[in-house]
């Protein structure tokens, strides 16, 4: 089946630094990738929709200058948390849609990145 | 009212029990319904998916959708300790090549040996 590889799985960074998270679709092309954030005991909250070759679409309340998204190829999307602060500590998960799967089901998730800002 | 409501639990059952997990939703445009299983500190993995109303069975798992009531269910028969995880319902109206999922909060399930 479709596989989405997300790296790193965990990262600790100092406040004020930037962190890049990568999401790759390994055996399919993903024109659209989604970035989610999940706080403890909370559901996945969509942050932004990443479209290959165009600007990402951010959800209301998500700062686009803080969470930089780049979707330069059909298999790679990156999320960069700039000038990270402790309140950015969270679990970040990407998802890619395999259009070959058909219908509205073909969402495959990465394994997530736990970011801790100290 | 949130688009998708799901009781977060936690739900604790003995091994072998039948588990019932549910979600309600408010958007009648939703057509695709999914259940994801998420282990601690991992990304969600697709467990079951259903289009429109009806039932779908896969091994010990049965998914039901009642669009008239805006209610979906996941049943787990002969539950095992390995089923212990958080179960998230998700749904989409999927109007074309793009579309995103709306998730419930997830129900944390613990199956005791």
């Amino acid at each position: 089946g479709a596989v989405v590889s997300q790296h790193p799985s965990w990262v600790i960074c100092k406040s004020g630094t930037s962190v890049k998270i990568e999401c790759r679709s390994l055996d399919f092309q993903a024109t659209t990738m989604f970035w989610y954030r999940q706080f403890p005991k909370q559901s996945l909250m969509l942050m932004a929709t990443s479209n290959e070759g165009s600007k990402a679409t951010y959800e209301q309340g998500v700062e686009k200058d803080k969470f930089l998204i780049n979707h330069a190829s059909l298999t790679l999307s990156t999320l960069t948390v700039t000038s990270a602060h402790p309140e950015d500590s969270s679990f970040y998960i990407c998802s890619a849609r395999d259009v070959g799967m058909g219908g509205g089901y073909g969402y495959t998730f990465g394994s997530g990145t736990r970011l801790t800002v100290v | 009212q949130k688009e998708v409501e799901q009781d977060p639990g936690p739900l604790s059952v003995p091994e072998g029990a039948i588990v019932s997990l549910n979600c309600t939703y408010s958007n009648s445009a939703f057509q695709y319904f999914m259940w994801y299983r998420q282990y601690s500190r991992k990304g969600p993995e697709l467990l079951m998916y259903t289009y429109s109303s009806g039932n779908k069975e896969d091994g010990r798992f049965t998914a039901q959708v009642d669009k008239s009531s805006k209610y979906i269910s996941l049943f787990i028969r002969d539950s095992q300790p390995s089923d212990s995880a958080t179960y998230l319902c998700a749904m989409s109206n999927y109007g074309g090549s793009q579309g995103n999922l709306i998730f419930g909060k997830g129900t944390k399930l613990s199956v005791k040996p």
Side-chain angles (χ1 to χ4, degrees):
Chain A
V3 177
V4 172
S5 176
Q6 184 174 345
H7 292 281
S9 57
W10 63 271
V11 59
I12 301 173
C13 70
K14 289 185 177 181
S15 186
T17 60
S18 296
V19 173
K20 180 184 283 188
I21 302 170
E22 288 191 352
C23 183
R24 293 180 184 271
S25 56
L26 295 187
D27 48 3
F28 66 99
Q29 294 184 333
T31 55
T32 303
M33 289 188 178
F34 305 94
W35 287 94
Y36 294 85
R37 186 172 179 175
Q38 187 178 33
F39 290 106
K41 300 184 180 180
Q42 296 294 317
S43 187
L44 282 76
M45 298 300 297
L46 181 66
M47 298 174 65
T49 302
S50 164
N51 301 295
E52 187 267 335
S54 64
K55 290 183 179 180
T57 303
Y58 290 82
E59 295 299 301
Q60 191 174 10
V62 178
E63 299 176 59
K64 62 180 180 180
D65 294 330
K66 181 167 186 61
F67 299 99
L68 299 179
I69 291 174
N70 184 283
H71 195 160
S73 76
L74 286 171
T75 59
L76 174 64
S77 177
T78 60
L79 167 68
T80 301
V81 183
T82 63
S83 187
H85 291 284
E87 57 264 32
D88 299 323
S89 298
S90 187
F91 194 54
Y92 294 86
I93 309 174
C94 67
S95 171
R97 188 162 174 274
D98 180 3
V99 295
M101 188 172 174
Y105 319 121
Y107 301 88
T108 301
F109 286 82
S111 55
T113 298
R114 181 159 301 282
L115 170 63
T116 302
V117 184
V118 297
Chain B
Q1 182 187 12
K2 292 185 178 180
E3 278 198 289
V4 179
E5 299 272 7
Q6 182 177 11
D7 186 340
L11 180 62
S12 182
V13 301
E15 183 176 355
I18 297 175
V19 176
S20 173
L21 304 167
N22 312 291
C23 288
T24 58
Y25 62 95
S26 58
N27 188 346
S28 58
F30 288 142
Q31 300 181 66
Y32 297 87
F33 303 91
M34 286 142 276
W35 285 95
Y36 284 84
R37 178 173 60 195
Q38 185 178 23
Y39 291 110
S40 181
R41 305 188 181 214
K42 297 291 185 183
E45 54 177 328
L46 182 63
L47 199 59
M48 297 281 288
Y49 60 89
T50 315
Y51 173 72
S52 194
S53 286
N55 296 355
K56 186 172 184 179
E57 187 174 323
D58 184 3
R60 297 185 293 112
F61 299 89
T62 300
Q64 290 185 350
V65 175
D66 182 349
K67 290 194 71 179
S68 62
S69 301
K70 298 190 181 68
Y71 186 87
I72 68 171
S73 301
L74 176 70
F75 297 95
I76 306 174
R77 291 183 298 280
D78 188 24
S79 56
Q80 303 295 309
S82 58
D83 296 327
S84 298
T86 296
Y87 290 80
L88 299 136
C89 64
M91 42 202 83
S92 167
N93 57 0
Y94 178 57
S97 60
Q98 297 185 16
N100 60 280
L101 301 177
I102 307 297
F103 284 90
K105 275 193 173 184
T107 300
K108 186 172 184 179
L109 171 67
S110 177
V111 181
K112 304 293 186 185

